[in-house]
């Protein structure tokens, strides 16, 4: 379906996730008695819907807190309603043609990690009822918030590196092209507030425009999380 930009100047398809989710993993367990165990993914595993309903580099990440599985980390969790996993054929579809997947190899470089965090500097109420969060500087990374909302209340969070003349997030050529990129969060209605931030992707941004909130949030409710390859520092230089 089509989505119109914030200022109405263009209409573009919202990019959605397609294809089946899959997981290939090995779990190594070291017990306190000195013994070890090795568990691999197979048809004996079970699956259940995740509160993360979508994550796409061009489209953003979506999370529905109502889908959180209670006590998921308990050893005696009830799995009677979960679905048995299905082993997938190791093929991939490229341009409509199925092809064999290459050999899975370990990462040859340091992973991306959060290396710095700071609070937002201010929140501004916009004329259209949205709120604009300013993190004070442009960075590559993600964010987290702690907010309250009613059960089923949904908010959209749009990232931008600069602002339009009316003070709204400028996304006309975000990621070097016209796009509609936003994260979405659906509240479960927890009285003590709910904390969330994208887990499977990151953005380049300074501003975060939020629609769907019913009252002004505090800047302290938002945390910036700068991300880079987690390589060690080996030197430095000074210039005039």
């Amino acid at each position: 379906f089509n989505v119109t930009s914030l200022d109405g100047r263009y209409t573009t398809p919202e990019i959605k996730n397609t294809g089946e989710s899959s997981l290939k993993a090995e779990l190594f367990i070291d017990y306190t008695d000195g013994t070890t165990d090795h568990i691999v993914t197979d048809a004996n595993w079970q699956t259940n819907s995740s509160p993360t309903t979508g994550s796409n580099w061009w489209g953003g990440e979506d999370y529905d807190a109502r889908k959180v599985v209670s006590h998921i980390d308990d050893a005696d969790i009830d799995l009677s309603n979960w679905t048995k996993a299905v082993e997938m054929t190791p093929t991939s579809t490229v341009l409509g043609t199925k092809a064999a997947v290459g050999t899975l190899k370990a990462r040859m470089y340091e992973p991306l990690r959060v290396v710095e965090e700071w609070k937002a500097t201010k929140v501004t109420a916009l004329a259209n009822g949205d709120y604009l969060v300013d993190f004070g500087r442009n960075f590559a990374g993600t964010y987290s918030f702690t907010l309250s909302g009613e059960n089923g209340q949904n908010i959209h969070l749009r990232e931008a590196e600069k602002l339009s003349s009316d003070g709204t997030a400028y996304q006309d050529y975000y990621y070097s092209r016209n796009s509609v990129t936003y994260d979405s969060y659906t509240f479960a209605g927890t009285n003590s507030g709910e904390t969330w931030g994208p887990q499977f992707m990151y953005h380049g941004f300074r501003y975060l425009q939020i629609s769907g909130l019913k009252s002004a949030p505090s800047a302290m409710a938002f945390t910036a999380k700068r991300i880079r390859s987690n390589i060690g520092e080996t030197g430095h230089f000074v210039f005039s």
Side-chain angles (χ1 to χ4, degrees):
F1 55 92
N2 290 332
V3 178
T4 302
S5 65
L6 294 175
D7 56 13
R9 284 181 291 174
Y10 64 85
T11 298
T12 184
E14 180 191 11
I15 296 177
K16 307 294 288 185
N17 291 287
T18 58
E20 295 179 275
S21 299
S22 58
L23 170 70
K24 184 174 184 177
E26 290 181 289
L27 181 64
F28 296 89
I29 306 173
D30 295 322
Y31 296 104
T32 55
D33 63 0
T35 60
T36 62
D37 204 354
H38 179 213
I39 301 173
V40 298
T41 45
D42 58 21
N44 293 315
W45 285 51
Q46 291 174 283
T47 69
N48 193 61
S49 298
S50 166
T52 301
T53 58
S55 185
N56 186 291
W57 180 256
W58 301 110
E61 189 160 307
D62 307 311
Y63 190 92
D64 189 340
R66 299 170 300 177
K67 296 178 180 284
V68 171
V69 179
S70 300
H71 307 292
I72 194 171
D73 52 352
D74 289 354
D76 59 350
I77 183 174
D78 181 10
L79 302 178
S80 59
N81 292 324
W82 286 43
T83 303
K84 196 174 183 64
V86 177
E87 291 193 49
M88 298 187 68
T89 303
T91 59
S92 176
T93 301
V94 180
L95 299 178
T97 303
K98 283 192 173 295
V101 174
T103 302
L104 185 65
K105 297 181 179 180
R107 182 189 290 113
M108 299 178 64
Y109 48 86
E110 294 298 321
L112 294 175
R113 297 200 187 281
V114 176
V115 296
E116 184 183 7
E117 297 186 9
W118 66 92
K119 292 294 183 181
T121 58
K122 64 178 179 179
V123 174
T124 303
L126 301 177
N128 64 357
D130 291 358
Y131 294 97
L132 187 81
V133 180
D134 185 352
F135 287 108
R137 54 188 166 113
N138 200 354
F139 66 102
T142 184
Y143 61 88
S144 67
F145 62 72
T146 300
L147 298 169
S148 295
E150 300 173 357
N151 181 279
Q153 179 182 344
N154 181 266
I155 59 175
H156 285 182
L157 306 102
R158 291 177 168 85
E159 301 80 13
E161 295 181 321
K162 61 181 182 178
L163 301 178
S164 301
S165 58
D166 61 358
T168 58
Y170 183 84
Q171 279 197 334
D172 281 27
Y173 295 99
Y174 197 45
Y175 294 143
S176 301
R177 67 176 197 148
N178 284 356
S179 63
V180 176
T181 304
Y182 64 83
D183 304 319
S184 72
Y185 182 86
T186 302
F187 289 93
T190 306
N191 292 331
S192 58
E194 300 172 29
T195 300
W196 180 79
Q199 294 179 294
F200 301 102
M201 65 172 302
Y202 66 92
H203 305 280
F205 67 109
R206 169 178 172 174
Y207 304 101
L208 190 65
Q209 182 172 333
I210 308 174
S211 60
L213 289 176
K214 297 184 178 180
S215 60
S218 165
M220 295 301 292
F222 299 89
T223 301
K225 298 184 176 185
R226 186 168 71 86
I227 290 176
R228 64 165 169 79
S229 296
N230 192 32
I231 54 177
E233 183 177 311
T234 58
H236 68 280
F237 68 95
V238 178
F239 59 95
S240 64

